[in-house]
Amino acid sequence: MIIAIDGPAGSGKSTTARLVAKNLGFIYVDTGAMYRAVTLSWLEQGKPNIADFIQDLPSITLGINAHTNEQQTFLNGIDVSKEIRGREVTEHVSYISSLKTVREKMVEMQRNIGNAQSVVMDGRDIGTAVFPKAHLKVFMVADIRERALRRLQEMKIQSMFPLPKLEDLMITMKQRDEYDSSREIDPLRQADDAILLDTSNLTIEDQALKIIELANSIHNF
Ligand code: CDP
């Protein structure tokens, strides 16, 4: 069974998807982490010319931390799960993920993972491009201020100091959403058959429960 959760930055996709996967016994796949790892590689190489960079894309692999059950992201075999959350990666990830060759390679990996087991996959194009026939599609949205507040809270927990100002974070998140929504290949958008879930006034538990109930009501997979 494939559950696709898409939506803009900070809409609560990852936390919700992780809870849903845990409850249903599925694998959780954070596709944003894959694009972030490719971006980290480009930055580590000193921002080479894009034509050269895409000739020889790095190897990205995923694993699961046995203690925390969280996804681990490996770049050329090295665990970069923490590094990919950095400010510079966040600033450049929309650009790198708009490149056709990058998307083709990541989508192929994502399809291989989803074809092998039941997954909850979150991203921007899972319901529209990666798994257009997913059994359940959810498009999560939330008020921009609420999304920025959640992201700030996450940054505090991860000790990502200095913290940006709320207003500045709202601006950069909006810019990233606009870039992701207007790119040519597989832009961020709600699939016609996706269920819209506004999480502005919902707790993570409520969000997860709604999706679990929807998943449990599906019997034809
Ligand atoms: O967690 P956050 O909402 O900040 O973003 P993310 O899920 O880590 O994704 C980072 C970026 O990767 C997005 O802004 C998109 O540019 C890109 N992305 C994408 O193009 N397609 C996906 N399926 C997932 C992420």
Side-chain angles (χ1 to χ4, degrees):
M1 182 173 186
I2 292 171
I3 302 181
I5 304 186
D6 291 304
S11 51
K13 300 183 302 285
S14 323
T15 325
T16 311
R18 200 176 295 121
L19 272 180
V20 173
K22 193 173 169 207
N23 182 283
L24 298 174
F26 292 6
I27 301 279
Y28 162 58
V29 184
D30 169 6
T31 62
M34 299 162 78
Y35 291 98
R36 285 174 175 274
V38 179
T39 308
L40 178 67
S41 169
W42 181 67
L43 292 170
E44 282 181 345
Q45 290 175 38
K47 301 187 192 171
N49 179 293
I50 286 299
D52 295 337
F53 178 67
I54 58 172
Q55 288 291 315
D56 189 19
L57 284 177
S59 145
I60 310 293
T61 44
L62 303 180
I64 295 177
N65 183 312
H67 300 291
T68 60
N69 243 353
E70 303 231 338
Q71 173 175 304
Q72 285 172 304
T73 309
F74 298 90
L75 170 61
N76 296 323
I78 296 166
D79 186 351
V80 292
S81 309
K82 197 167 174 351
E83 290 77 359
I84 57 172
R85 303 290 155 197
R87 192 179 48 83
E88 226 192 333
V89 172
T90 304
E91 269 171 22
H92 294 91
V93 64
S94 283
Y95 167 57
I96 294 296
S97 65
S98 70
L99 304 169
K100 186 166 181 264
T101 317
V102 172
R103 298 206 74 79
E104 281 171 356
K105 186 167 171 180
M106 296 304 115
V107 169
E108 190 190 347
M109 261 186 81
Q110 291 155 14
R111 287 191 179 138
N112 287 340
I113 299 171
N115 287 331
Q117 65 235 301
S118 288
V119 292
V120 182
M121 196 171 275
D122 91 38
R124 302 293 188 283
D125 60 340
I126 312 303
T128 52
V130 184
F131 287 110
K133 292 196 174 141
H135 304 90
L136 175 60
K137 300 181 188 178
V138 179
F139 194 78
M140 285 177 64
V141 293
D143 172 78
I144 179 72
R145 176 170 286 269
E146 180 58 34
R147 291 195 275 129
L149 280 168
R150 288 178 189 167
R151 184 48 50 92
L152 266 185
Q153 190 58 30
E154 248 173 43
M155 290 169 126
K156 265 187 211 161
I157 293 169
Q158 294 163 355
S159 306
M160 289 175 66
F161 301 115
L163 294 174
K165 279 202 207 126
L166 181 67
E167 275 65 29
D168 292 343
L169 192 56
M170 282 168 62
I171 292 170
T172 53
M173 284 174 91
K174 246 191 190 162
Q175 281 169 344
R176 187 147 61 93
D177 291 343
E178 276 162 20
Y179 199 104
D180 290 343
S181 308
S182 59
R183 71 173 172 232
E184 209 175 308
I185 311 158
D186 302 339
L188 162 69
R189 73 171 179 86
Q190 181 180 350
D192 295 337
D193 52 351
I195 293 164
L196 182 68
L197 188 60
D198 187 334
T199 69
S200 307
N201 298 307
L202 293 179
T203 65
I204 293 290
E205 287 74 19
D206 289 340
Q207 287 158 217
L209 200 63
K210 272 188 197 288
I211 300 175
I212 292 163
E213 280 170 3
L214 286 167
N216 284 333
S217 70
I218 296 173
H219 300 290
N220 61 338
F221 70 92

